Amino acid sequence: MPPIALALWILAAASTQDKPAPEKRVTLEVKASTWRERKTPFDVAEDFTAKLRRAKVQVVPQGEKADGRLSVRLEETSGKSYKSTTGDEEVVATDIECRLELLIGDNPKPALAWTVEARPGSFVQGDLYADAVSQFKGHPEIEYAGAHVAVLLGVKDAAAPLVAALLDARVQEHTVEFLDQAGYAPAGALEKIHFMIARHQFDECAKAGAEAVAPLLAFLQGAQDFAKEETVRALGRIGDPRAVPVLLSTLSGVHDTIEDVLAKALFDALAAI
């Protein structure tokens, strides 16, 4: 193959990998409004189109043949007032409400129907609107919207990012509930361990042995305090040396190492390993 042709083939192959071939098609109807004068609302159409594309779902124009119909209603309204850190003036925040509905085939009952609300945090150092948008985009139902739609449409391997998200304490509860409702069955031992962790079945994780170590460690680093203790105990029961660096790092972040229950669990786990 001539060098130029080879280079073009490599570029084409890379482009194909960056943009996975769509397996399903949906129409996307978006209505968005904002209370902010002379401003445009968050571009939820572009955001959702990108999410769907990554999940191998192509957005097609209204009227074309599609596997589903996704509608999104986004409304930005005035929120509470915040006192400026640079003076006595007050700044009004923006609250975001988004309603999503997915219809599949001729079924009039939505396969997905969510209402997501987002607003700035209690204390915001930067731009209030940017913080509200960040809270909205980080909501589990929005962050993984493309994967949720793809799973419901039957895209092959669409559940992979959601199974990985079972180790993320921020989205864990919502994700396992969605996958259960969608009738998803774990494929293989590792996925079963992810589901065990999401359901806080740490005794079962310990019985799984060495294969549970990596997912347990991944979960431990972002887990809430109430789940950390049981995660640590499971790692101690498994007794795999790979856990030692993370356990030591976790211990260094415990403030009261004498009376803290988590600290005791960490010392016990390290001693067992």
Side-chain angles (χ1 to χ4, degrees):
M1 183 182 291
I4 294 179
L6 178 60
L8 290 174
W9 180 84
I10 292 173
L11 287 172
S15 176
T16 302
Q17 290 177 354
D18 292 340
K19 298 178 181 179
E23 293 186 10
K24 298 291 182 178
R25 295 152 56 95
V26 296
T27 58
L28 176 61
E29 181 187 4
V30 174
K31 292 183 179 179
S33 63
T34 184
W35 73 282
R36 301 175 303 140
E37 294 183 5
R38 297 184 294 278
K39 300 288 185 179
T40 56
F42 171 66
D43 194 346
V44 69
E46 180 181 356
D47 186 68
F48 270 66
T49 299
K51 285 180 169 65
L52 292 166
R53 186 188 303 119
R54 288 194 294 270
K56 298 183 181 182
V57 178
Q58 179 184 5
V59 174
V60 298
Q62 299 286 339
E64 286 196 15
K65 184 178 179 180
D67 302 288
R69 304 180 299 284
L70 181 64
S71 66
V72 181
R73 303 286 184 271
L74 183 137
E75 185 179 7
E76 296 177 354
T77 58
S78 59
K80 70 176 184 178
S81 297
Y82 287 70
K83 183 166 288 189
S84 171
T85 56
T86 58
D88 294 331
E89 63 177 320
E90 291 191 342
V91 182
V92 179
T94 296
D95 291 348
I96 299 176
E97 181 179 277
C98 184
R99 295 182 294 278
L100 300 86
E101 185 176 275
L102 174 66
L103 296 173
I104 298 177
D106 297 326
N107 190 343
K109 182 179 179 180
L112 179 154
W114 291 336
T115 298
V116 173
E117 297 180 348
R119 55 187 52 85
S122 300
F123 180 78
V124 181
Q125 290 183 315
D127 181 79
L128 283 171
Y129 180 71
D131 192 76
V133 170
S134 177
Q135 298 289 340
F136 171 71
K137 293 173 69 175
H139 192 286
E141 292 174 344
I142 301 301
E143 183 175 352
Y144 293 95
H148 285 108
V149 171
V151 166
L152 293 172
L153 291 175
V155 174
K156 183 180 179 182
D157 299 327
L162 298 178
V163 173
L166 292 174
L167 304 183
D168 184 344
R170 299 176 306 113
V171 301
Q172 187 180 69
E173 183 178 356
H174 164 79
T175 303
V176 73
E177 181 180 350
F178 170 81
L179 289 172
D180 283 343
Q181 290 177 351
Y184 181 78
L190 187 58
E191 285 199 1
K192 289 179 180 178
I193 291 169
H194 280 227
F195 273 83
M196 291 175 192
I197 293 173
R199 297 184 176 115
H200 293 183
Q201 297 170 338
F202 297 111
D203 287 342
E204 296 302 314
C205 289
K207 293 176 184 176
E211 194 165 10
V213 172
L216 281 169
L217 291 174
F219 172 65
L220 175 62
Q221 296 178 72
Q224 301 294 326
D225 287 343
F226 70 90
K228 281 185 177 180
E229 180 190 347
E230 293 304 317
T231 306
V232 167
R233 294 190 188 283
L235 288 165
R237 289 173 60 187
I238 295 171
D240 194 306
R242 289 176 295 168
V244 171
V246 176
L247 294 176
L248 288 172
S249 176
T250 305
L251 181 61
S252 68
V254 177
H255 300 296
D256 188 347
T257 57
I258 297 177
E259 297 182 0
D260 194 283
V261 175
L262 174 58
K264 184 179 185 309
L266 285 161
F267 281 125
D268 290 345
L270 288 165
I273 295 171

